Amino acid sequence: MLVTSKELFKISQEKGFAIPAPNFIDAQSMKDYVEVAEELNLPVILALAEVHLEYISLEEAAYFGKFYAEKAKVPIVLHLDHGMTPSIIKRAIDVGFTSVMIDASQEDFETNVKKTKEIIEYAHPRGVVVEAEIGHVGSGVNYENHEETDSQYTTVADAIQFVKETQVDSLAVSIGTAHGMYKGIPEINFERLDEIAKAVETPLVLHGGSSSGDDNLNHCSLQGISKINIFSDLVNVAQNGINNEEPKNYLELKEVVSNSMKNCLKHYYGVFCTNKIQVSAEI
């Protein structure tokens, strides 16, 4: 069933677990994630980043997302991840996405608030929830080197003020993760996470989950994070599967990729302690 994340996050906050948000780049990866969710009887947030629209259009994603969600018994959220362009975010809302992210985290505080409020004013009357980011979850100087990063920690004061001014539905916070892969395991600022979680009632989400370490992500799930984004680990296990199994043809390759990504997602469901959720209504 196709839903927004509002009720899911409320329950995850109350019970102390996180819901995975695997990024898809085509109908096959979307289908694979839904099949895992159905097998485990757990919710899933299907996330499409704006930067991946070269692989699948908003219209295609909405069509397939609705198709798979209507056949599924578990709650499924169709989410636009890291929306940078207001016109694209609004189009995602118009074609049927149930959740969108406006990422203006690289802007100054006032501009971030202004852009977030613009999207909220468009989304809420249409029954769509909005995620925004305060602080900045960046990337390393090089994709697989996070010895240096442009990430900026979220401050408690900024989180409180941002939520107050925007009334955003969920808030992405920066507490030590970064997008892509790491050398070693990142250090997560759990003290900052705890302070923010106690200061705001808004559900918190975490970006840059891949290769952040199972213990770190498990701790985040139990300490107030309602959603964790995963992408790099999924594509990396797919590539490793291809390298290790050396499929002989395209059909074998597709099977290896699907199985590898499914197993990775199953693993993270366990790490995040995701619970079964029954929602009151679908979209």
Side-chain angles (χ1 to χ4, degrees):
M1 63 186 72
L2 188 63
V3 301
T4 73
S5 57
K6 192 166 188 176
E7 191 172 353
L8 304 187
F9 288 169
K10 181 180 179 181
I11 295 171
S12 69
Q13 282 183 302
E14 292 172 352
K15 295 189 175 181
F17 64 86
I19 302 168
N23 281 93
F24 66 89
I25 57 171
D26 55 22
Q28 183 63 55
S29 51
M30 183 189 297
K31 181 172 183 281
D32 290 340
Y33 302 154
V34 172
E35 287 180 353
V36 171
E38 282 281 87
E39 179 184 339
L40 300 179
N41 197 23
L42 296 172
V44 67
I45 297 169
L46 301 175
L48 173 65
E50 181 177 323
V51 295
H52 292 149
L53 289 176
E54 62 183 299
Y55 304 115
I56 185 171
S57 70
L58 288 174
E59 291 76 13
E60 289 173 305
Y63 176 84
F64 286 111
K66 293 173 189 176
F67 177 80
Y68 294 128
E70 287 172 1
K71 292 181 175 294
K73 295 178 181 178
V74 297
I76 294 174
V77 178
L78 185 59
H79 174 71
L80 179 68
D81 194 30
H82 287 291
M84 306 284 190
T85 312
S87 60
I88 290 177
I89 300 172
K90 291 175 182 178
R91 195 165 93 245
I93 294 168
D94 291 340
V95 300
F97 280 65
T98 60
S99 172
V100 295
M101 178 189 185
I102 166 65
D103 185 358
S105 61
Q106 290 182 298
E107 306 281 2
D108 59 63
F109 185 88
E110 291 75 18
T111 303
N112 193 348
V113 167
K114 181 180 178 181
K115 288 188 173 183
T116 300
K117 290 175 70 174
E118 176 190 349
I119 297 303
I120 288 174
E121 288 169 2
Y122 191 85
H124 281 182
R126 293 165 174 81
V128 175
V129 297
V130 179
E131 173 188 329
E133 183 174 315
I134 191 68
H136 180 61
V137 179
S139 298
V141 171
N142 158 342
Y143 192 66
E144 294 191 357
N145 178 356
H146 285 205
E147 292 172 354
E148 297 181 44
T149 178
D150 60 348
S151 293
Q152 297 176 358
Y153 274 160
T154 303
T155 68
V156 178
D158 280 352
I160 293 172
Q161 189 64 26
F162 189 82
V163 167
K164 180 180 178 181
E165 292 192 30
T166 64
Q167 298 300 303
V168 71
D169 297 291
S170 60
L171 185 66
V173 293
S174 177
I175 54 173
T177 58
H179 294 108
M181 304 300 291
Y182 304 88
K183 283 188 174 181
I185 302 296
E187 292 185 10
I188 305 298
N189 191 333
F190 293 112
E191 181 178 354
R192 180 66 53 83
L193 172 58
D194 186 59
E195 291 170 346
I196 296 171
K198 289 178 178 176
V200 301
E201 295 182 358
T202 304
L204 304 179
V205 304
L206 185 69
H207 289 260
S210 290
S211 76
S212 292
D214 288 356
D215 289 343
N216 279 339
L217 296 179
N218 178 261
H219 196 158
C220 287
S221 303
L222 299 174
Q223 197 176 319
I225 293 293
S226 290
K227 172 176 79 91
I228 300 178
N229 285 45
I230 300 293
F231 177 62
S232 296
D233 277 353
L234 290 162
V235 294
N236 282 339
V237 298
Q239 185 61 58
N240 290 339
I242 293 170
N243 295 342
N244 293 334
E245 298 190 34
E246 299 181 349
K248 298 179 179 60
N249 55 56
Y250 177 66
L251 293 179
E252 285 188 8
L253 183 147
K254 283 175 64 66
E255 184 177 4
V256 168
V257 168
S258 289
N259 289 339
S260 298
M261 295 176 80
K262 284 181 175 181
N263 288 333
C264 182
L265 180 55
K266 287 178 183 179
H267 170 77
Y268 277 120
Y269 269 115
V271 172
F272 302 165
C273 301
T274 312
N275 284 195
K276 177 181 177 181
I277 296 178
Q278 289 185 325
V279 294
S280 56
E282 60 182 319
I283 297 299

